[in-house]
C-alpha cells in the first residue's frame, strides 16, 4: 500500500515550457487535490476533484489545468510555466468518511527559470 | 472557513510536554478543529481532529473548551523527531467535502536535546 505517489520528485523548467505532474493513490479515495506551497507559507489549493469525472477550481487555479484520469490518478498540467510557479506541489486524497483527513504525497519541487 | 491564529514558533526540550494553542474566535457551529504536522521536505500529515471536549490518540491530545473559541494541541514527552510545523485548521462539512483546507503559516516547533 503505497498511499499517494507523485512524479517527478524534482523538475527544472525554462519559462514558457510545459509539463505535467502525476499523482496516483491506491486507497480507493474519491476525492483528490493539488496544492502548492511557497517557502515559509502554508499550502494553497489549486484544483480539486470531489469524485471521478469532476474537477473544480481552488484558491489559485490560474496557469494550471487538471485531469482526473480515473479514480486513482489526478494530474496537474502547467501549459506555459512562469517563474511565479516555482514552488513545491503536493497531491492529496481524502477518505470521505473522515472530515478533513487528507493523505498527502511526498511533493514535487519545481523550479522555473 | 474560520480564521485561526497560532504562535509562529515554539522551542522545547526533549522529554517535555508541549502545548500549542490555536485561537478561532469565529468558529461556526458545524466546524471541526483539525491539526496537521509537516516535517521538512514532506507533505502534511493529519494528526488529530475534534469537535468539542477532549480527544486523544496515540500521537497527541486535543483540548477544546466549552466555547470552542480556542483549542490546544498537546504533545506528550516530545523527542527531536517531533520538530516540525504544526497547522491548526477549522472548517465545516462543505469545506471538508471540497477539500478547501486553509493552511496558515503554522507553528514551527523546534525540539532541542
Amino acid at each position: 500500500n503505497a498511499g499517494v505517489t507523485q512524479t517527478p520528485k524534482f523538475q527544472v523548467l525554462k519559462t514558457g515550457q510545459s509539463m505535467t505532474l502525476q499523482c496516483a493513490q491506491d486507497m480507493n479515495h474519491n476525492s483528490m487535490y493539488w496544492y502548492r506551497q511557497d517557502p515559509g507559507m502554508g499550502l494553497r489549493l489549486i484544483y480539486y476533484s470531489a469524485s471521478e469525472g469532476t474537477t473544480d477550481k481552488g484558491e489559485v487555479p490560474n496557469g494550471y489545468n487538471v485531469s482526473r484520469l480515473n479514480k486513482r490518478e489526478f494530474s496537474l498540467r502547467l501549459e506555459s510555466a512562469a517563474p511565479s510557479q516555482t514552488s513545491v506541489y503536493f497531491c492529496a486524497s481524502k477518505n470521505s468518511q473522515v472530515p478533513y483527513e487528507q493523505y498527502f504525497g511526498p511533493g514535487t519541487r519545481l523550479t522555473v527559470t | 472557513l474560520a480564521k485561526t491564529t497560532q504562535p509562529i514558533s515554539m522551542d522545547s526540550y526533549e522529554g517535555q510536554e508541549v502545548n500549542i494553542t490555536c485561537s478561532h474566535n469565529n468558529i461556526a457551529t458545524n466546524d471541526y478543529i483539525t491539526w496537521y504536522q509537516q516535517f521538512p521536505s514532506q507533505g502534511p500529515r493529519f494528526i488529530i481532529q475534534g469537535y468539542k471536549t477532549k480527544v486523544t490518540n496515540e500521537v497527541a491530545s486535543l483540548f477544546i473548551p466549552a466555547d470552542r473559541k480556542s483549542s490546544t494541541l498537546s504533545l506528550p514527552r516530545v523527542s527531536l523527531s517531533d520538530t516540525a510545523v504544526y497547522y491548526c485548521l477549522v472548517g465545516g462539512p462543505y469545506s471538508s467535502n471540497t477539500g478547501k483546507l486553509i493552511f496558515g503559516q503554522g507553528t514551527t516547533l523546534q525540539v532541542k536535546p
Side-chain angles (χ1 to χ4, degrees):
Chain A
N1 193 339
V4 179
T5 57
Q6 293 182 236
T7 56
K9 285 189 167 55
F10 301 94
Q11 183 71 48
V12 179
L13 292 178
K14 291 187 182 340
T15 297
Q17 287 185 318
S18 62
M19 78 160 296
T20 300
L21 281 63
Q22 307 287 352
C23 174
Q25 51 93 8
D26 61 2
M27 296 173 282
N28 202 34
H29 289 167
N30 286 322
S31 303
M32 297 185 72
Y33 311 88
W34 277 105
Y35 295 88
R36 61 177 287 174
Q37 185 172 35
D38 299 323
M41 297 185 67
L43 282 77
R44 292 184 291 170
L45 182 66
I46 305 171
Y47 269 95
Y48 66 98
S49 170
S51 62
E52 186 179 353
T54 68
T55 60
D56 251 305
K57 295 178 182 179
E59 188 184 355
V60 289
N62 291 344
Y64 305 95
N65 284 303
V66 290
S67 294
R68 183 73 183 268
L69 304 170
N70 47 55
K71 191 170 187 179
R72 288 188 64 248
E73 299 171 288
F74 188 37
S75 62
L76 178 72
R77 182 160 178 83
L78 287 71
E79 292 291 351
S80 179
S84 61
Q85 294 177 306
T86 293
S87 190
V88 181
Y89 291 84
F90 290 102
C91 176
S93 68
K94 177 176 160 318
N95 179 342
S96 61
Q97 301 303 315
V98 181
Y100 284 98
E101 185 176 6
Q102 293 190 11
Y103 293 80
F104 284 80
T108 294
R109 190 172 295 273
L110 176 67
T111 302
V112 183
T113 60
Chain B
L1 290 173
K3 183 177 166 155
T4 60
T5 302
Q6 52 184 123
I8 295 292
S9 64
M10 293 181 70
D11 288 339
S12 182
Y13 291 92
E14 282 191 290
Q16 289 188 330
E17 178 184 73
V18 170
N19 295 310
I20 306 174
T21 296
C22 179
S23 297
H24 28 80
N25 290 320
N26 58 340
I27 189 169
T29 304
N30 292 333
D31 284 351
Y32 291 91
I33 300 158
T34 308
W35 286 80
Y36 276 80
Q37 174 191 56
Q38 185 176 25
F39 297 115
S41 301
Q42 293 187 28
R45 181 176 77 112
F46 173 92
I47 303 177
I48 197 165
Q49 182 178 88
Y51 183 76
K52 60 181 178 181
T53 63
K54 176 184 171 184
V55 180
T56 297
N57 62 22
E58 64 278 4
V59 176
S61 295
L62 178 59
F63 297 92
I64 305 169
D67 67 6
R68 305 199 328 124
K69 293 186 184 300
S70 67
S71 59
T72 299
L73 176 73
S74 181
L75 304 171
R77 295 188 298 281
V78 294
S79 64
L80 295 176
S81 62
D82 291 315
T83 293
V85 179
Y86 293 83
Y87 296 97
C88 166
L89 293 80
V90 173
Y94 170 74
S95 50
S96 170
N97 291 336
T98 58
K100 290 186 177 179
L101 307 183
I102 292 187
F103 288 80
Q105 286 192 296
T107 298
T108 299
L109 172 66
Q110 180 71 50
V111 179
K112 302 175 182 177

